[in-house]
Structures are given as C-alpha cells and as structure tokens.
Amino acid sequence: MRRIVAIVLAVFLIGGVAAAVVAGREEQDKSTATKTVLGVIGSEKAEFFADPDVVKALAAKGYTLKTETSGSWAMEGLDLKGYDFAFPSSQAPADELAAKYGVRQPLPRPFYSPLVVLAHRSAAAVLADNGLATLPAKGNGTLRMAPYLKAADADRTWQQLKGAERHGELSGTLFISTTDPTSSNSGALYLAAASYVADGGRVADGTAAVNRTAPLMRKLISVQGAQQTSSDAAFRDFVSGVGNPLVLVYESQVASLLAQGQDVGDLTVLYPDTTANSDHTVVPLTDEGRALGELLGTDPELRKLAVRHGFRPQGTSAEFTAATAAHTTYLNQKLTGVRQSPVPASKVLHEMARRARG
C-alpha cells in the first residue's frame, strides 16, 4: 500500500514540475516576444535605429523595428498603407501626414536638433573678418543671418571678401549648400528661417508674405545648382572634404560624430543667430506606432541612446549637456545667442519652397 501511495505521489510531483516548466516557458515566451513595427524615417535617424544598442533596448520593450528612409516632405507622396508610423524631421510635414491619415493629436516628439552651418576654419575666419559671423571660440561661432542674407542678395563672391585671397579653395558665389526644400526638411526649414529674417521678423502667413521674399529665396536655392535630397549625404560629403565651403546640416550629425571620437579636423560649427529647430515628430498610423513613439521620448535608456546620436531629448537639457561636456569646443550646448524662428504653416512653406525652386 505504501509503495502504491509513493508511486501516485511521484506521478503528481512529476506532473506538477512539468506544468511549472511549461508555465515558465510560456511566461518567458511572453516576456521576450516582440512586435514587428514598420516605419519610414528621415535619413538622419538611420544610424540611430541601426545602432545595436537601440535594437537591443527596443527588443527589451517588445519591439522589432524595420525602417525605410525618405525625405521628410517626400513622405507625403508615399503610400503608407501597412506602415505603423512615419517619422519626419519636423512638425510641419508630420502635421501634413497626420491630417492626411486622420491621426489624432498630440503627436509624439521625442527629440529635436537645431540647424547649423558647417565651415572649415579658413571660411569661418573670412566670414568673421567681414562681419558675417562671430567666432568667440576656435571650433564654433555664430552666423549673422541678416548680414549674410544681404550679401547673398547682392550676389557677393568669396573673392570680394577681404582675406579670401589667402585661401584658394574660397572662390565663386557665396552661398550655403542645403537640401532640396521641396522634398527635404532641412532645406525647407532654412527657407523658413531666412524668410523670417528677410521679412523683418515676420513669419510668412500667406501668398503676399511669400511674394515679399520670393526673389531672395529663389537666389538662395538657384545658386546651388543640383541639390541633395538627404542631409546625411551632404554631411558625409563635407566631412570627406568635398563640396561647398558652407553646408547646412543638423547639429545632431556633428554631435554624433564627436561622440564617436572621430577626428573632425578644422571643422567649425556656425549656429545661425536665427534658426529653426527640427522637432523630430512621430506620426502614428497604428496603436503600435504610437506606443513606440511615446517610448522613444520616455524610456531612460532610449533617451540616453538618442543623446549618443546627437539628438536633444524633449523636456530637459541636462542629458544633452552632460553627454556633450567634452565637446563644447564645437557645440553651443545652451544655444546662447540663437533665436528660434517660427515655422510657417505647411501650405505656406510648400508654396515658398516651390517658388524658391522655380
């Protein structure tokens, strides 16, 4: 009898252990299961999402991310059926997409980056000697937008600037290389800031306002010839030593390069005294897309990784300031002396870009 009871108890015990193992496996499967989320993003965020640490941090929260790149304004022309989110580089194209797909507000805005102008030290020094820039430090300074726009409107050449004759690479018309404003966010924001300054500190609010600055905006774009559709390509060209002496990019691209410990040579970062911040804005097309967008702005690990890639998280400057403390030679951490210009409504900015492109 005792032997029978022992056998029965052993069976129950083995069954209980097996059930516990199965339950444990099910729970483990649930904790490691990931949802695959598909999004279209601006090219300047491609390295962030490809970072193995970002992939790992998202997986820990249950997400596997697949992305494709596009110019921010070009996203409006894409068929986003089947996508979970779009992630342009500023709020204006994001609002356009949200209206098109009936997405409820508010839209998640996890991080931002100001626009900056890259110059080699020789070009920055010539600008400063001619009153177009100030250089309080060796690696960064301020581009004076009003004098620069006046020079651009007058078709000034580098040869007309004192001191340029000592630098053979500085020749031809003075201009800043930008991306195509009809398809790319940074090019469009450049026009937004330039038109604001050119029109006496007024944000363009309609056709009449666009008309007032259209000739100058046309000059700023037409002098460039063929334009890149991606700020990432323009940035890489400059770093490799080719292209125009002055190039408009995102601060995040510079900060990321510095964080990697790469040699930046004689790079000088000029912060326009009037600029437009690029608020990277998620347009959720599904519930998973919205959850992901909110996670990017709230999860401490993902915020830390965003800073590592040069972005400024929304809500506080402490994370960015601490992470870039070793790079203040090149970065204006507190954006001292930089004024944020309002950005025209999407419809107005589209018209401005179209007119500028001719």
Side-chain angles (χ1 to χ4, degrees):
M1 186 67 181
R2 288 178 180 175
R3 183 175 297 175
I4 294 173
V5 171
I7 292 172
V8 172
L9 287 174
V11 170
F12 276 114
L13 180 60
I14 292 169
V17 170
V21 169
V22 171
R25 285 177 177 170
E26 288 179 349
E27 187 61 32
Q28 185 179 22
D29 288 344
K30 289 179 181 178
S31 66
T32 59
T34 60
K35 297 179 283 290
T36 299
V37 181
L38 177 62
V40 57
I41 63 173
S43 62
E44 70 290 327
K45 293 184 284 289
E47 286 191 2
F48 169 72
F49 283 115
D51 185 333
D53 289 335
V54 174
V55 173
K56 182 179 178 181
L58 288 171
K61 297 295 181 178
Y63 292 97
T64 296
L65 196 61
K66 293 184 178 180
T67 60
E68 300 170 7
T69 59
S70 167
S72 293
W73 286 101
M75 290 181 190
E76 187 181 351
L78 300 178
D79 180 4
L80 297 180
K81 184 178 180 180
Y83 288 79
D84 295 289
F85 70 96
F87 201 175
S89 302
S90 71
Q91 191 168 354
D95 286 341
E96 286 278 308
L97 289 169
K100 179 178 179 179
Y101 290 96
V103 178
R104 65 178 172 85
Q105 298 280 356
L107 305 178
R109 291 186 298 133
F111 42 73
Y112 70 98
S113 182
L115 291 170
V116 297
V117 174
L118 299 188
H120 295 294
R121 192 171 302 143
S122 56
V126 169
L127 292 178
D129 289 343
N130 288 270
L132 304 182
T134 59
L135 296 175
K138 184 176 71 172
N140 80 77
T142 302
L143 178 70
R144 300 180 62 205
M145 282 292 283
Y148 165 73
L149 292 175
K150 184 177 179 181
D153 197 28
D155 301 317
R156 295 281 294 278
T157 65
W158 283 102
Q159 292 93 324
Q160 292 172 324
L161 302 181
K162 63 181 181 181
E165 70 278 359
R166 297 192 297 271
H167 309 284
E169 73 278 10
L170 299 180
S171 63
T173 305
L174 174 69
F175 68 91
I176 297 171
S177 288
T178 74
T179 55
D180 182 347
T182 62
S183 62
S184 174
N185 177 67
S186 58
L189 290 183
Y190 173 65
L191 293 183
S195 66
Y196 180 78
V197 174
D199 205 18
R202 290 181 291 183
V203 60
D205 58 0
T207 300
V210 172
N211 289 340
R212 287 195 295 269
T213 62
L216 176 56
M217 299 303 105
R218 172 66 177 151
K219 274 190 177 183
L220 296 177
I221 300 303
S222 62
V223 71
Q224 299 182 44
Q227 291 178 290
Q228 300 273 18
T229 58
S230 160
S231 62
D232 185 60
F235 177 70
R236 292 183 184 280
D237 282 351
F238 182 89
V239 171
S240 66
V242 300
N244 190 51
L246 304 175
V247 178
L248 185 84
V249 301
Y250 296 109
E251 179 198 56
S252 58
Q253 293 167 301
V254 182
S256 177
L257 196 70
L258 294 168
Q260 295 170 29
Q262 295 194 31
D263 180 19
V264 294
D266 67 348
L267 176 75
T268 300
V269 184
L270 298 176
Y271 288 76
D273 58 14
T274 302
T275 190
N277 282 346
S278 180
D279 286 310
H280 295 267
T281 305
V282 177
V283 182
L285 303 172
T286 64
D287 290 341
E288 289 80 9
R290 181 171 291 276
L292 175 69
E294 292 172 350
L295 185 67
L296 290 171
T298 58
D299 181 74
E301 180 64 16
L302 287 169
R303 286 174 66 93
K304 182 177 75 174
L305 290 168
V307 171
R308 191 167 82 184
H309 284 269
F311 300 108
R312 294 175 179 250
Q314 296 282 3
T316 177
S317 62
E319 293 158 292
F320 183 84
T321 300
T324 59
H327 307 302
T328 54
T329 298
Y330 301 98
L331 302 177
N332 182 348
Q333 289 182 309
K334 297 182 179 180
L335 299 179
T336 303
V338 177
R339 181 182 185 185
Q340 173 71 17
S341 72
V343 178
S346 297
K347 183 179 180 181
V348 177
L349 195 54
H350 267 304
E351 182 182 356
M352 186 181 295
R354 181 184 58 79
R355 293 277 297 277
R357 284 286 293 166

